[in-house]
Amino acid sequence: WQTGAMARAVLLILLGFSVVSWAIIGYKIRLLRQVRRESGNFLEFYDEANSLSAIYSTGKRMPQSPLARVFVAGYAEGLKKTKVLLSSNPGTLDREFLRDEVRKSLSRAVQREVNHLERALTFLATTGSTTPFIGLFGTVWGVMNSFRGIGVKGSAHIGVVAPGISEALIATAAGLAAAIPAVIAYNYFLHRIQGITAEVENFSAEVSIRLVRELEQEH
């Protein structure tokens, strides 16, 4: 608070970026833990269950598992299309049409889950790339004040130069303090989400085959 108005504005902006970034980091850590736990439980039940309706009911109780949400979306769409096909052609089920519709539904569900997992990562990337430049602006401003003080006082005494240099160093440090955790977190979360995305896509392909086969057998 002993710095100039511009330096205070820069530091407050950097503080805002940092606070929001840490809030996102905390939220993402909790979310990914829930995703891992619920997805593991759902996969275990999925492998053991013989009834699609039982898997569907269990999946609806696991809102943080992308695998469960993908299955729920695919099963609901497959069941709806099966009823439509059988109502128009009783006793006949167009397997190819049903497979295409289920695959499309699963693909949309996978994309929704990926978007959900990646939400707010853009802010971390923006923080990592922007805050060093905001800090640099504060640095340049502090150096300008130092040179202006030298010009006004006509002296390069440490008492004239030190306040502006101090502001410059504080702004630089604050910019790096906001950027470094955001960049580390962004890369970590992106790697984890890419792994989850691959898992969900593989699961989606398996679910598509099982849904069509078992829906045909049930009806």
Side-chain angles (χ1 to χ4, degrees), residues 87-174:
S87 64
S88 59
N89 296 290
T92 303
L93 187 63
D94 189 340
R95 187 185 181 96
E96 291 300 323
F97 177 79
L98 180 60
R99 182 184 294 111
D100 289 341
E101 292 300 311
V102 169
R103 188 180 296 115
K104 290 177 184 177
S105 176
L106 290 171
S107 178
R108 291 192 296 268
V110 168
Q111 189 58 53
R112 284 196 302 269
E113 294 307 310
V114 172
N115 291 340
H116 174 68
L117 291 172
E118 290 180 347
R119 188 176 302 164
L121 285 187
T122 303
F123 187 88
L124 293 180
T126 301
T127 299
S129 60
T130 302
T131 51
F133 292 102
I134 297 175
L136 179 61
F137 173 78
T139 299
V140 173
W141 190 268
V143 172
M144 287 171 55
N145 281 339
S146 296
F147 280 109
R148 184 163 54 247
I150 292 173
V152 171
K153 297 293 181 68
S155 170
H157 189 270
I158 188 65
V160 176
V161 178
I165 298 299
S166 177
E167 288 185 11
L169 295 176
I170 290 173
T172 300

Side-chain angles (χ1 to χ4, degrees), residues 20-213:
V20 176
S21 294
W22 280 108
I24 292 172
I25 291 170
Y27 166 74
K28 286 294 182 182
I29 289 174
R30 291 193 301 272
L31 176 63
L32 292 178
R33 285 177 179 171
Q34 292 175 332
V35 166
R36 181 175 58 184
R37 183 177 63 253
E38 290 191 3
S39 292
N41 293 337
F42 177 77
L43 269 181
E44 184 178 348
F45 185 83
Y46 175 85
D47 291 335
E48 296 175 355
N50 296 320
S51 169
L52 291 178
S53 58
I55 301 174
Y56 176 77
S57 299
T58 300
K60 292 190 71 174
R61 296 195 297 269
M62 298 181 176
Q64 298 302 334
S65 170
L67 302 181
R69 289 163 63 94
V70 165
F71 178 87
V72 167
Y75 178 78
E77 182 68 17
L79 197 61
K80 182 175 71 174
K81 294 301 181 182
T82 299
K83 292 179 179 178
V84 171
L85 290 171
L86 291 177
S87 64
S88 59
N89 296 290
T92 303
L93 187 63
D94 189 340
R95 187 185 181 96
E96 291 300 323
F97 177 79
L98 180 60
R99 182 184 294 111
D100 289 341
E101 292 300 311
V102 169
R103 188 180 296 115
K104 290 177 184 177
S105 176
L106 290 171
S107 178
R108 291 192 296 268
V110 168
Q111 189 58 53
R112 284 196 302 269
E113 294 307 310
V114 172
N115 291 340
H116 174 68
L117 291 172
E118 290 180 347
R119 188 176 302 164
L121 285 187
T122 303
F123 187 88
L124 293 180
T126 301
T127 299
S129 60
T130 302
T131 51
F133 292 102
I134 297 175
L136 179 61
F137 173 78
T139 299
V140 173
W141 190 268
V143 172
M144 287 171 55
N145 281 339
S146 296
F147 280 109
R148 184 163 54 247
I150 292 173
V152 171
K153 297 293 181 68
S155 170
H157 189 270
I158 188 65
V160 176
V161 178
I165 298 299
S166 177
E167 288 185 11
L169 295 176
I170 290 173
T172 300
L176 294 175
I180 292 172
V183 171
I184 293 173
Y186 173 80
N187 291 329
Y188 171 75
F189 292 138
L190 187 63
H191 176 72
R192 287 285 305 276
I193 291 171
Q194 287 174 344
I196 294 172
T197 300
E199 183 182 9
V200 173
E201 289 175 345
N202 293 334
F203 178 75
S204 172
E206 178 186 339
V207 167
S208 175
I209 297 172
R210 180 174 178 177
L211 279 175
V212 174
R213 183 181 67 248

